[in-house]
Each structure stands twice: as structure tokens, then as C-alpha cells.
Amino acid sequence: TGRSSILTTSSLCHKMTDPQARLQAAVTTCMDKLDRAYIRKLSKNAYSCMAACHDHSSYTSQDVQQCVGACSTGLQEINALISNELQYFQNRLQRCQQSCEDEVRDTQAKAGGGKPDPSQQAKLQGIYDKCVGKCVDTHLPLVNAMEAKLAGECKKRL
């Protein structure tokens, strides 16, 4: 579901900054908590249900397939919801990071454009890093909100 790669590195900043590492750790912790508290139970329930479908000797092959499909529906819905929430979160974060890149480009253009010297490059990198730090500060609380939403959806299916 792409849960492990929520953050991408920017073209302006090839190393992960501390704020990005904090955000990645928060998302990883969130997904781990959901997995331990709900996803494993949902998976176990789905697999137990699917196994039970094969115990009905009166079922036709099609009946067994329908039963198995019905058993996996809740887990599939949760996995799709998690993927969608993570994608939405990543898109929001990328838009914020893109605005940071725009800010750097605008600053560079005001300084006359062209290739910046090492001193200017350090200043531009500082502007970018500060902006990305603000993005992270803005997005960190959203991880808790996303976790709460997903936990609520998982609870409905247990």
C-alpha cells in the first residue's frame, strides 16, 4: 500500500532534513499503531472467515468464491482507505514543499537569477529548510487526525 514511503526528497534538497525525519517517524509510528491495534485483527478475522467458507460442504465452487470475497471486503476497504489517506497526506505535504521551492526560486530571481555562488546557495538552502520545517510543523498534527480517522474506520469493521 505504499505505507513506508510517505515522504519524497525534493530536487533542491537531496538529504532528508530533521523535520522530514520527524514527520516520517510520526507517520511510521501511526501506521504501526494501526497495524498492531486493528489491521492484524481485521486480517485474522478475514482469513478465519475465508477458511470457514471452505468448511461448507454444501457450497458450490461459486458459493465458496462469493463467501471468500465477502470475508475480505472489510479488509480491502480499510487498505484502500489507508492508501487514500496516505496519498492525500503526501499530496498536501508535496504541495507545501513545492511552495518552498517556489519561494527559493522567487528569492533567487529577485537576486538577479543565474547560478548562485556558494554563499547564495547556502542562503537559499536555509530559506528552503526553514520553509520545509514550517510544512512539517503544520503537517505533524494531521498525522494524529489521520490516525484517529483510520482507527475509527477500523473499529467499525471489527
Side-chain angles (χ1 to χ4, degrees), residues 9-27:
T9 46
S10 163
S11 60
L12 289 178
C13 183
H14 296 292
K15 63 180 180 139
M16 185 178 274
T17 62
D18 271 347
Q20 287 174 314
R22 284 187 303 129
L23 189 58
Q24 179 67 55
V27 170

Side-chain angles (χ1 to χ4, degrees), residues 16 34 42 50 64 76 91-92 104 113 121 133:
M16 185 178 274
L34 289 169
L42 287 167
M50 286 184 241
V64 171
Q76 290 173 349
N91 288 344
R92 285 184 68 164
V104 168
Q121 182 63 37

